[in-house]
Amino acid sequence: MSWGLKVKDRDLISFLSAVLYYAEKGHPLPVAFKRAKCEHKIKNVNYNEVFSLAYKLTFSYNSLTGRGRKDKVRNFLSYGGTPILPNWITEELKRVNIDVDKVVHGGAQWIRVNTLKGDIDKVRKELEKAIDVFDSPLPYVFRVKERVPSEFTRSYKVLYQDLASAYVVESLKPQQGEVLLDFASSPGIKVSQYMALTENRGRVIATDVDHNRLRKELLLLRKMGVDLNRVEVINQDSSRSAIMRGDKALIDAPCSSTGIITKEPTLMIRLNQRHLISRLSKLQKSIINKAVKATEKIVYSTCSILPEEGEEVISEYEKRLETLNIDGNTGYEIYPFHDKVRRFFPGINHTDGFFIARLRIS
Ligand SMILES: C[S@@+](CC[C@H](N)C(=O)[O-])C[C@H]1O[C@@H](n2cnc3c(N)ncnc32)[C@H](O)[C@@H]1O
C-alpha cells in the first residue's frame, strides 16, 4: 500500500489512529488533525493528501470493523480509502429516493453581512478588495471560496452562516413589532438574523436548555449589535415547558446534524446508533407540541437529511402546513405533503442539508 503518499503504512496508520483518538474526544477534524501532527511527525508527506484521507476516515468511522482505532484505520485503507456511510443511513436515503452523492459532496461556504453593523454594498466592496465574493438569491448572503479577512468577522460585520440556515429565518417573514418565540436559540445566529431583518425592532424570547450556550448567545448578540432590551432569555427545556405567548415561533431543533457531515465528518463518530435518531425525533415532536400551544405560526427546521427528523416529525400537523415559497427542493416525494416543505442538499444547492416547514395552527 503506498497511497501515493510515499508514507510507510505503519506511520500512516499511527498518524490516522491519533486523528481518530482526538476526534473521538470530541475535537473537530482540523483540531484533531493538528494535534495528531504535533505527536506524529511524518517525513516527506503532503499533509493535504493525508487530511483528505483523515476526512474520509472519520466520515466512515461507524461503517468500519475493528475493535481498536488501528484496526479501524487498516479496515478503511483496505477499502481503498473510499468514504462509506453506515448502512442504516444509506438504506434510509434509498427509502426516500435520494442519491447518497447529493448528501455527501458539494457544500460551499456562505457568509451573511450583519446589517446591524454595516451596509451591504459597502461591506461587499471592502471584502472584494481582498477576496472574490459571489451573489446568492438573498441580498445579504454571499458565497465565498476563501476565508474572510479576520477584520470583518472580528468587527461582526460578517459572519459565516449557511444560505439554507438563512432561509429558515426568511421563512418566518420577520415583521417589526412582533414577538418571536425561539424554542432552541443558542448560539443565536438566527436570532441575530431575525433582529437584523427587523432592524432591531422585533422582540424575541430566546430559550435554550443549555445555560452555558445561552450565556454565550447573549455575548454574541451584544457583539452583533442586537438591542438586548428587546431580547428576553429563558433557560428551559422546551419539550416540557412553554409558559409564554408570541406571534410566531422558531424551532430550529436539536438534531443529528447529518446535514453538515460534509463540513464536519467527525459528527459521524457520535452518530453510532439508529435509536439516537428516534430519541431526537421524539424530542422534536415534543417541542412542536409545546409550541402549538404558545403561538399560531411556527417555522420548524433541522440541519438533517433524515426524514425521521423532517417530514415524519411534522406529519401529525400535515393539514396545518403552509406552502413555503423559498428556493430549495420539495420534501421527500414519498410524503403526500412534500411540495409544501423545503429541503436543501450540499450536492444540489451547495448548502448544508436542511429541512424547513411552516405551520399555521389556527
Ligand atoms: C440547532 S441548535 C440551535 C441553533 C440556533 N437556532 C442558531 O441559529 O444559532 C439546537 C439547540 O437546541 C438546544 N436544545 C437541545 N435540547 C433542547 C430542549 N429540550 N429545549 C430547548 N433547547 C434544547 C441545544 O442546546 C442547541 O443550542
Side-chain angles (χ1 to χ4, degrees), residues 90 116 286 351:
T90 320
L116 295 175
S286 313
T351 61

Side-chain angles (χ1 to χ4, degrees), residues 212-257:
N212 259 337
R213 281 171 69 88
L214 269 179
R215 265 195 20 234
K216 288 185 188 152
E217 174 171 354
L218 273 177
L219 286 177
L220 177 77
L221 294 180
R222 204 180 58 221
K223 287 176 178 162
M224 297 285 292
V226 169
D227 179 353
L228 290 184
N229 291 318
R230 304 182 79 91
V231 179
E232 196 178 325
V233 165
I234 300 177
N235 183 203
Q236 70 169 18
D237 177 344
S238 298
S239 67
R240 288 166 186 263
S241 60
I243 317 163
M244 45 189 193
R245 289 285 308 168
D247 298 299
K248 294 175 183 170
L250 170 60
I251 305 172
D252 185 33
C255 71
S256 64
S257 303

Side-chain angles (χ1 to χ4, degrees), residues 260-271:
I260 56 173
I261 45 180
T262 50
K263 282 195 184 145
E264 191 39 78
T266 53
L267 284 167
M268 292 308 289
I269 292 179
R270 290 180 279 293
L271 208 60

Side-chain angles (χ1 to χ4, degrees), residues 45-235:
V45 72
N46 177 342
Y47 275 110
N48 287 337
E49 286 178 34
V50 183
F51 186 85
S52 150
L53 213 49
Y55 175 94
K56 294 172 191 165
L57 169 70
T58 41
F59 197 99
S60 313
Y61 185 88
N62 276 307
S63 323
L64 300 170
T65 55
R67 293 235 303 267
R69 284 183 284 276
K70 285 196 173 164
D71 274 357
K72 279 188 185 290
V73 174
R74 280 191 201 100
N75 180 237
F76 167 72
L77 294 176
S78 73
Y79 279 112
T82 318
I84 334 158
L85 277 175
N87 268 347
W88 65 268
I89 295 189
T90 320
E91 274 158 24
E92 196 61 4
L93 296 179
K94 210 187 277 170
R95 184 171 74 83
V96 292
N97 210 8
I98 178 88
D99 188 351
V100 173
D101 271 357
K102 305 262 187 303
V103 170
V104 300
H105 301 295
Q109 192 75 258
W110 301 91
I111 54 167
R112 166 163 70 88
V113 173
N114 175 17
T115 49
L116 295 175
K117 285 280 183 169
D119 171 79
I120 300 172
D121 293 338
K122 279 191 195 152
V123 172
R124 183 189 180 144
K125 258 196 196 129
E126 282 299 308
L127 268 173
E128 279 177 334
K129 289 181 189 161
I131 57 168
D132 288 330
V133 176
F134 303 89
D135 283 332
S136 87
L138 298 180
Y140 53 90
V141 174
F142 299 99
R143 185 173 174 176
V144 290
K145 295 185 177 168
E146 301 145 86
R147 298 292 297 171
V148 168
S150 59
E151 68 258 30
F152 289 90
T153 44
R154 267 194 273 122
S155 61
Y156 293 91
K157 285 185 178 162
V158 166
L159 77 159
Y160 288 96
Q161 182 178 356
D162 192 77
L163 175 63
S165 150
Y167 271 123
V168 173
V169 178
E170 284 284 331
S171 305
L172 283 164
K173 299 189 185 161
Q175 302 287 326
Q176 298 186 347
E178 67 185 7
V179 176
L180 173 74
L181 309 175
D182 188 333
F183 279 76
S185 67
S186 300
I189 305 297
K190 294 186 187 65
V191 171
S192 75
Q193 183 191 348
Y194 179 84
M195 289 305 273
L197 289 175
T198 61
E199 296 169 358
N200 255 339
R201 293 197 191 107
R203 286 195 178 276
V204 182
I205 301 179
T207 73
D208 202 282
V209 76
D210 187 326
H211 185 259
N212 259 337
R213 281 171 69 88
L214 269 179
R215 265 195 20 234
K216 288 185 188 152
E217 174 171 354
L218 273 177
L219 286 177
L220 177 77
L221 294 180
R222 204 180 58 221
K223 287 176 178 162
M224 297 285 292
V226 169
D227 179 353
L228 290 184
N229 291 318
R230 304 182 79 91
V231 179
E232 196 178 325
V233 165
I234 300 177
N235 183 203

Side-chain angles (χ1 to χ4, degrees), residues 236-304:
Q236 70 169 18
D237 177 344
S238 298
S239 67
R240 288 166 186 263
S241 60
I243 317 163
M244 45 189 193
R245 289 285 308 168
D247 298 299
K248 294 175 183 170
L250 170 60
I251 305 172
D252 185 33
C255 71
S256 64
S257 303
T258 40
I260 56 173
I261 45 180
T262 50
K263 282 195 184 145
E264 191 39 78
T266 53
L267 284 167
M268 292 308 289
I269 292 179
R270 290 180 279 293
L271 208 60
N272 55 351
Q273 286 158 342
R274 203 181 195 309
H275 71 77
L276 282 181
I277 304 297
S278 337
R279 235 173 47 206
L280 282 165
S281 188
K282 266 193 203 133
L283 174 63
Q284 292 152 356
K285 283 180 189 162
S286 313
I287 298 181
I288 295 191
N289 290 339
K290 289 294 173 196
V292 296
K293 295 191 180 116
T295 187
E296 285 163 5
K297 298 173 194 163
I298 299 169
V299 167
Y300 171 82
S301 63
T302 47
C303 56
S304 167

